[in-house]
Amino acid sequence: MGVSCLGTLILFCCLICVFRAQNPADKPTPNIIIMLMDDMGWGDLGIFGQPSKETQNLDSMAAQGMLFPNFYTANPLCSPSRASLLTGRLPVRNGFYTTNAHARNAYTPQEIVGGISKDEILLPRLLKKKGYVNKIIGKWHLGHRAQHLPLEHGFDEWFGAPNCHFGPYNNSDRPNIPVYNNSQMMGRYYEEFGINNKTGESNLTQIYLKEGLDFIFHQAKARLPFFLYWAPDATHAPVYASKPFLGRSPRGRYGDAVMELDDSVGQILSALRDLGIDQDTFVFFTSDNGAAVMSGPKQSGSNGPFLCGKETTFEGGMREPAIAWWPGHIPAGTVSPQLGTVMDLFSTSLSLAGLDVPEDRAIDGLDLSPVLLNNTHINRPIFYYRGNEMMAVRVGLYKAHYWTWSNSWEEFNKGIDFCPGQEVAGVTTHTQQEHTMQPIIFHLGRDPGEKYPISVLAKEYQDALSGIKPVVEKHKSGLVPGVPQLNMCDLAVMNWAPPGCEKLLKCLKGPKSHPWECDWPH
C-alpha cells in the first residue's frame, strides 16, 4: 500500500473514532435517508420470496428493521408518485395529473411544459427549518425547466438527471438527457455518461453510490443533520448495471441491476455504522411504482402474487417493497401489517425532525412514527388514482374497484400488455369500465391476486360495502383538485440548452414554440 493511501486510511479511521466519541446519544433531529427505486416490484426482494438471491443486503436490512408488506405508492407511474412522496399529497391535489382524457397516466417527458408547482411545499424546504442539509441523487422527474428543478424547491445539492434515461437520441430531433451537478449540466446520457443499451453496461449506479457516500461522510464530518433522497434508476428500462455485476443474476440484466442496487444499499448502511451515526439515521427503502411487466422478463421485475403491474391500479401496479431501518429505535425483525404509502414519508420525516405538517393544505400522508417506534396500528384507507379518477379504495383487507382498466385494445393489439398472462375476465378490462353503483370487491387477505370477486349477493359483500361507502364519500366530499400540470407539451421546452451547456459546448438549438395538448394513451 502506498504512503498516500495509508495516510488516507489512517485519517478516515481517526475521523470515525472522532464521530463515535463526539456523537451525542440522543441527537434531537435524526438524519433521514429515503431510497427510492425505479420500477422495482414487490416480488423482487428475497424477503418476499424472490428465489434469485439478489437482495442479501435488503433482506438483512429487513431483519434489522421493520418490513411493510402492505405499502403503496400514490400512483402507478413514476412522476406523480415522486411528487406525492415529496409533498405528502395525492397527485390529483398537487397537480401531477392530466385532464386531457379520463383516467390517464401522465408523467414528465422532455416535451412537458409543466412540472412541480411553485405553490407546493416540498419536504426538503420544510426540513431546512431544522437546519437539515438536503441532497437528491439520481432521478428527479418533477419537471426539467429551470423553475421546476430541485434546487428551486428546497434541495441544497443535486447530482442526477431531470428525466428518465431514455435514448440515445440524435440531438437534432430530440436532445439527450442532461446530467446535473447542482445547477450546472455536467454532460448528457449516452455521451459523457454512457449507457450501452446492447450490453446493458453503465457505471451510473456506482456514480450515484459514490455521490451518496461522499455526502454522508461530509455531513457527518460537519455534524449537521441531513436528508438524502437517493433515487437511482437502473431498474427502469433500459435496465443497466456496471461490468462487475453484469451476467451474475439468473434473471438476466434486470436481476443484475437489482444486485448492484442491493450492494449499494449495503455499502450505505455499512458507512452509517462505520461513521457511528447509524442510530442517528432513519432509512426507508421503497419503489416508485410496481414492476413494468410490459417491458418483458429481462427488462422488468416481479410483482409477486399481485395482479398486473406498472400503470395499473391493480395491486401489482401500486403495492411496493418497503423497509424501515433505524437501529436502536425501530425494533429489529418486525413485520408490520400497517397500510402505508409513500406520502407517509413526508409526514413521518417531518415528525421525526420535530416539525409539523403544513396546515394550509390537505395532507394525505400520515405520521407513521408510532408504528415505527411502538409497533402500533393506525386505521386508514388507501386510494388508488389513475389520472383524475379514483379507481379503487382499500379499507382493511377489502379492496373495491369503482373503475377498471388495464390498457386500450388499440395499445394491447400493438403488443403492449400491462397484465401478461394474468387476464381476469371482467376485471383487467381493455375499455374503461365504471362500477360506481356496484363496485367489484376483493378480499386481499385470501385473494391477493384479485382473481375472485366477492359475489354481490353475499352478505360479506354488503358488509364490506357498508364500511367502504362512507370512506369514499368523505374523501370525495373534501377533495379539491389542484391545477393539472401535465396537460401541455411543446418540443421547444426540451433539454436543448440546459444551464452549464455553454462551458461544455453542448448547447443545442431547438425549434420554435408550438404547444399542444399532450396525448396520454394509458
Side-chain angles (χ1 to χ4, degrees):
M1 179 182 293
V3 175
S4 62
C5 292
L6 180 61
T8 301
L9 179 61
I10 293 172
L11 176 62
F12 183 76
C13 292
C14 290
L15 284 170
I16 289 174
C17 292
V18 170
F19 297 151
R20 287 190 181 278
Q22 294 182 352
N23 200 39
D26 54 346
K27 188 176 180 180
T29 52
N31 308 310
I32 298 167
I33 300 178
I34 295 176
M35 300 173 168
L36 186 72
M37 303 301 104
D38 203 335
D39 290 4
M40 186 178 283
W42 189 94
D44 282 329
L45 273 59
I47 197 74
F48 285 140
Q50 174 54 239
S52 299
K53 298 181 179 179
E54 297 156 352
T55 59
Q56 61 179 2
N57 292 293
L58 286 166
D59 298 342
S60 178
M61 181 183 179
Q64 297 164 14
M66 183 175 286
L67 184 68
F68 289 87
N70 295 283
F71 196 83
Y72 292 85
T73 184
N75 187 270
L77 199 59
C78 38
S79 295
S81 69
R82 291 163 190 263
S84 291
L85 187 159
L86 292 173
T87 63
R89 288 152 55 81
L90 285 163
V92 73
R93 295 195 208 270
N94 65 38
F96 257 64
Y97 72 106
T98 182
T99 54
N100 288 355
H102 176 254
R104 302 301 174 108
N105 293 319
Y107 70 112
T108 54
Q110 283 201 70
E111 58 268 29
I112 199 73
V113 172
I116 193 69
S117 169
K118 62 179 177 58
D119 296 323
E120 290 298 318
I121 304 174
L122 274 60
L123 175 60
R125 187 176 301 282
L126 293 168
L127 290 175
K128 278 180 173 292
K129 295 179 179 180
K130 277 298 185 80
Y132 278 76
V133 180
N134 307 305
K135 181 161 187 170
I136 171 176
I137 297 172
K139 179 175 169 182
W140 171 239
H141 230 205
L142 300 188
H144 59 276
R145 302 177 74 192
Q147 66 269 32
H148 303 310
L149 293 177
L151 270 59
E152 298 297 318
H153 293 274
F155 282 100
D156 301 293
E157 301 179 28
W158 177 33
F159 189 97
N163 307 90
C164 199
H165 61 275
F166 294 136
Y169 302 119
N170 60 18
N171 280 340
S172 175
D173 299 327
R174 183 174 291 261
N176 280 317
I177 304 300
V179 175
Y180 281 80
N181 184 18
N182 296 326
S183 61
Q184 297 290 300
M185 164 184 164
M186 300 299 291
R188 296 181 187 268
Y189 284 149
Y190 300 95
E191 296 175 29
E192 291 75 18
F193 295 88
I195 304 172
N196 189 320
N197 283 342
K198 185 176 181 180
T199 66
E201 183 177 351
S202 175
N203 289 326
L204 280 168
T205 297
Q206 291 302 308
I207 294 171
Y208 293 152
L209 170 61
K210 182 180 184 302
E211 286 288 328
L213 293 174
D214 287 349
F215 177 73
I216 291 168
F217 179 83
H218 287 123
Q219 298 315 311
K221 182 179 178 181
R223 296 179 52 74
L224 293 172
F226 64 82
F227 168 45
L228 173 59
Y229 178 37
W230 195 67
D233 62 357
T235 43
H236 188 296
V239 298
Y240 60 80
S242 63
K243 192 170 184 178
F245 291 90
L246 285 175
R248 288 180 54 183
S249 168
R251 288 202 291 168
R253 195 178 298 176
Y254 179 86
D256 298 339
V258 172
M259 272 189 167
E260 185 168 16
L261 291 168
D262 176 79
D263 179 78
S264 299
V265 170
Q267 290 196 50
I268 290 172
L269 298 185
S270 292
L272 296 174
R273 295 189 197 95
D274 292 343
L275 292 168
I277 58 172
D278 52 323
Q279 295 194 22
D280 301 311
T281 307
F282 170 67
V283 184
F284 200 95
F285 173 95
T286 189
S287 177
D288 63 350
N289 48 251
V293 291
M294 78 290 283
S295 297
K298 301 298 182 182
Q299 289 283 326
S300 68
S302 167
N303 292 314
F306 304 121
L307 185 62
C308 303
K310 177 181 179 177
E311 302 232 30
T312 77
T313 49
F314 301 111
E315 290 297 286
M318 293 189 61
R319 201 185 301 203
E320 311 304 328
I323 304 168
W325 185 90
W326 191 7
H329 300 269
I330 294 175
T334 308
V335 179
S336 174
Q338 177 66 46
L339 300 186
T341 84
V342 295
M343 296 176 290
D344 299 338
L345 297 179
F346 176 88
S347 301
T348 304
S349 296
L350 291 177
S351 176
L352 295 178
L355 293 163
D356 296 324
V357 299
E359 297 182 353
D360 63 342
R361 63 199 61 214
I363 299 295
D364 297 291
L366 299 183
D367 173 15
L368 295 184
S369 58
V371 179
L372 296 168
L373 304 178
N374 301 311
N375 199 21
T376 59
H377 184 265
I378 304 170
N379 288 321
R380 62 95 63 85
I382 298 292
F383 297 102
Y384 303 69
Y385 269 84
R386 187 164 174 168
N388 58 350
E389 184 63 68
M390 192 206 79
M391 304 287 284
V393 63
R394 177 176 174 178
V395 177
L397 287 170
Y398 291 100
K399 180 177 179 181
H401 289 269
Y402 285 76
W403 288 83
T404 55
W405 190 38
S406 58
N407 64 329
S408 68
W409 281 115
E410 180 183 5
E411 296 290 307
F412 180 77
N413 290 332
K414 292 178 182 177
I416 301 172
D417 188 354
F418 290 171
C419 310
Q422 290 186 295
E423 293 283 339
V424 178
V427 177
T428 57
T429 53
H430 291 290
T431 56
Q432 295 185 13
Q433 298 292 318
E434 185 175 6
H435 311 281
T436 52
M437 299 303 294
Q438 197 172 76
I440 298 175
I441 300 180
F442 296 97
H443 187 286
L444 295 178
R446 63 174 180 265
D447 181 21
E450 298 170 278
K451 293 180 174 62
Y452 308 105
I454 300 171
S455 170
V456 296
L457 302 177
K459 181 178 183 298
E460 181 184 15
Y461 180 96
Q462 298 302 326
D463 290 345
L465 185 60
S466 67
I468 291 169
K469 188 175 179 181
V471 172
V472 173
E473 289 175 347
K474 180 181 178 181
H475 171 69
K476 290 194 170 183
S477 67
L479 182 67
V480 179
V483 177
Q485 300 296 311
L486 306 180
N487 279 355
M488 298 305 296
C489 289
D490 190 342
L491 296 179
V493 305
M494 294 198 291
N495 292 290
W496 300 107
C501 66
E502 302 90 350
K503 298 177 184 177
L504 302 174
L505 302 179
K506 304 288 288 188
C507 300
L508 303 169
K509 184 175 175 57
K512 292 182 179 180
S513 177
H514 184 70
W516 76 93
E517 287 192 354
C518 309
D519 179 33
W520 303 110
H522 303 134

